Amino acid sequence: MASGSVADQEGQVMLLGFWFSPFVKRVEWAFKFKGIEYDYVEEDLTNKSTLLLTSNPIHKKVPVLIHNGNPIAESLVIIEYIDETWKQNPILPQDPYDRAMARFWANFIEEKVSEPAREALFSEGEQQEKKVKELKEGMEVVEGEAKAKLNDKTLFFGGGHGVGYVDIVLGWTCNWMETIEEVGGFKVLDPESQPQFHKWMTNFREVPFVKPTLEPKEKLVEFFRMVRKDRLGLVANK
Amino acid sequence: MAEEEVKLFGTWASPFSRRIEVALKLKGVQYEYIEENLTNKSPALLNYNPVHKQIPVLVHNGKPVAESFVIMEYVDETWKHNPILPTDPYEKAMARFWAKYIDEKLWPAAKKVVVTKGEEQKGVINEIQQQMKNLEGELKEKTFFGGESIGFVDIAANIIIWLVVAQEALGMDQILDEEKLPILHGWLQRLLDDAVFKECVPPKERHLDFSKVKFGSSIASK
């Protein structure tokens, strides 16, 4: 299933992924939210398939969606494609201004939360301190937005429609952030200064199509501990 | 007919606000342009973009939108004639992919190449050459990335002009060389010849001086 050319996959919905990847999980949540069936192909980080390398020659990364033989890479690009191709249960709002706000916050999350978190996970010392600070600042803004938009009636950033684009983009934090903290050896989650965000995480974890997909923390910690060790080992040791 | 109020906050030397000018002009949207001084940002700008405090910001009937690609998509969805994104979802996904590539890979490399020296700079030059080859692979024989007319990726790729001008200002050999990258080189000439696009680049002499000041000192001090 993992071999073969892109052209062989006519009429299929296929997702290439890693079990441990938050970006892959996002795409799965988008599919599950819309009730779309897809073939999932587990890739090997140390031995990427020909299909992956030919479908995403530029970045050679997952997730990659292959739909009717056409490959699409980059999780946010894939999610928008899914939303435009399968119209049931819209992920993005209909109104152009609301869509712009959703895209703005998705970009913010990527730049100021996802990216610094990833960099903090794979760095140490001064470099890590810098990234942890950036991450904390990003979380502060997210808490502010959660305070502004969420309440007892509106549990998600998708507003009256329930889960939406921003929730799916931010969703990785509800499972991976604790892992990153433990493996990286720092703390950014604080229920006291981030009460609205913590409420949102609790609610998101319980979403019926999210709950069964969440990997156990011990499994994630063990895996990322190994990856962090490898990555830091590539840099000169003290 | 409802009164339409469109304002664009930008700076003359920013490729990001220039992108929005292209999008608005391609659609014939009337707008008021406000030149910001980034060392002394206006209360209006800080009010409209409190998260990043950056340009460009588009304000449509009092509602602000920030981040150049977000604004471009908003413009395309609000003024539907002369689309800058394809209608087909797959083609649209490809356009978004390449625009992202330009901002996340090419732009950081372009900023780095003008402030590095020696071996480090050589490494970045190679990186950019590969990135430009990748872009050629997407452009192929088309007139523009958008096909017959300028589209989302062409507008995003405006940053290539900033790289070319910076290299000229510093007396560097051009990475975008006609021999090595004929497809992209040809595309750039067509882009600069386009009636709408050419109005949305900084005046050459002023841009050269600006680049000399911005990058010349960082080279000299190393």
Side-chain angles (χ1 to χ4, degrees), chain B:
Chain B
M1 186 136 31
E3 270 296 302
E4 188 108 270
E5 193 197 53
V6 182
K7 293 187 188 183
L8 174 64
F9 290 77
T11 59
W12 70 273
S14 159
F16 306 104
S17 60
R18 291 292 187 170
R19 285 174 177 170
I20 313 307
E21 292 186 46
V22 176
L24 292 169
K25 285 193 202 294
L26 281 173
K27 290 167 180 282
V29 175
Q30 298 295 312
Y31 64 98
E32 183 196 340
Y33 176 76
I34 296 121
E35 176 72 25
E36 278 287 326
N37 174 356
L38 296 180
T39 61
N40 186 21
K41 293 171 183 176
S42 72
L45 175 62
L46 299 177
N47 179 48
Y48 284 132
N49 190 2
V51 174
H52 298 297
K53 304 175 173 55
Q54 276 291 14
I55 54 97
V57 178
L58 183 80
V59 184
H60 183 206
N61 294 336
K63 289 159 90 170
V65 185
E67 298 292 281
S68 67
F69 291 158
V70 176
I71 300 171
M72 280 161 65
E73 295 233 25
Y74 175 79
V75 168
D76 209 36
E77 287 168 7
T78 303
W79 293 278
K80 298 196 200 282
H81 54 282
N82 297 359
I84 53 178
L85 273 163
T87 36
D88 171 69
Y90 184 70
E91 312 255 323
K92 211 181 254 195
M94 290 305 98
R96 287 178 177 141
F97 175 89
W98 286 106
K100 211 168 194 280
Y101 182 77
I102 286 163
D103 263 12
E104 285 177 17
K105 301 290 180 193
L106 185 53
W107 178 239
K111 283 194 290 184
K112 200 170 175 190
V113 84
V114 290
V115 296
T116 46
K117 271 168 70 162
E119 281 310 305
E120 198 188 354
Q121 192 188 54
K122 277 202 188 111
V124 184
I125 288 172
N126 284 339
E127 243 184 89
I128 295 176
Q129 276 168 344
Q130 184 54 56
Q131 289 162 351
M132 287 184 166
K133 283 208 168 69
N134 290 337
L135 283 169
E136 287 196 322
E138 173 60 16
L139 181 61
K140 295 196 191 74
E141 281 158 14
K142 295 184 287 189
T143 308
F144 296 109
F145 289 96
E148 276 312 299
S149 52
I150 288 176
F152 200 85
V153 179
D154 301 281
I155 300 173
N158 75 342
I159 53 137
I160 291 176
I161 295 162
W162 269 254
L163 172 60
V164 167
V165 169
Q167 293 204 284
E168 191 179 326
L170 295 172
M172 280 178 73
D173 288 335
Q174 285 294 336
I175 300 174
L176 185 47
D177 172 82
E178 187 166 7
E179 261 186 61
K180 295 204 185 92
L181 293 151
I183 296 173
L184 205 63
H185 191 267
W187 162 84
L188 184 60
Q189 305 320 305
R190 291 192 291 278
L191 195 69
L192 292 168
D193 271 339
D194 179 85
V196 170
F197 194 91
K198 59 155 65 113
E199 285 177 27
C200 305
V201 288
K204 185 81 180 284
E205 284 310 309
R206 201 177 163 200
H207 197 184
L208 278 167
D209 289 341
F210 174 85
S211 301
K212 270 185 199 123
V213 169
K214 186 166 183 178
F215 304 116
S217 55
S218 53
I219 294 280
S221 64
K222 282 196 179 173

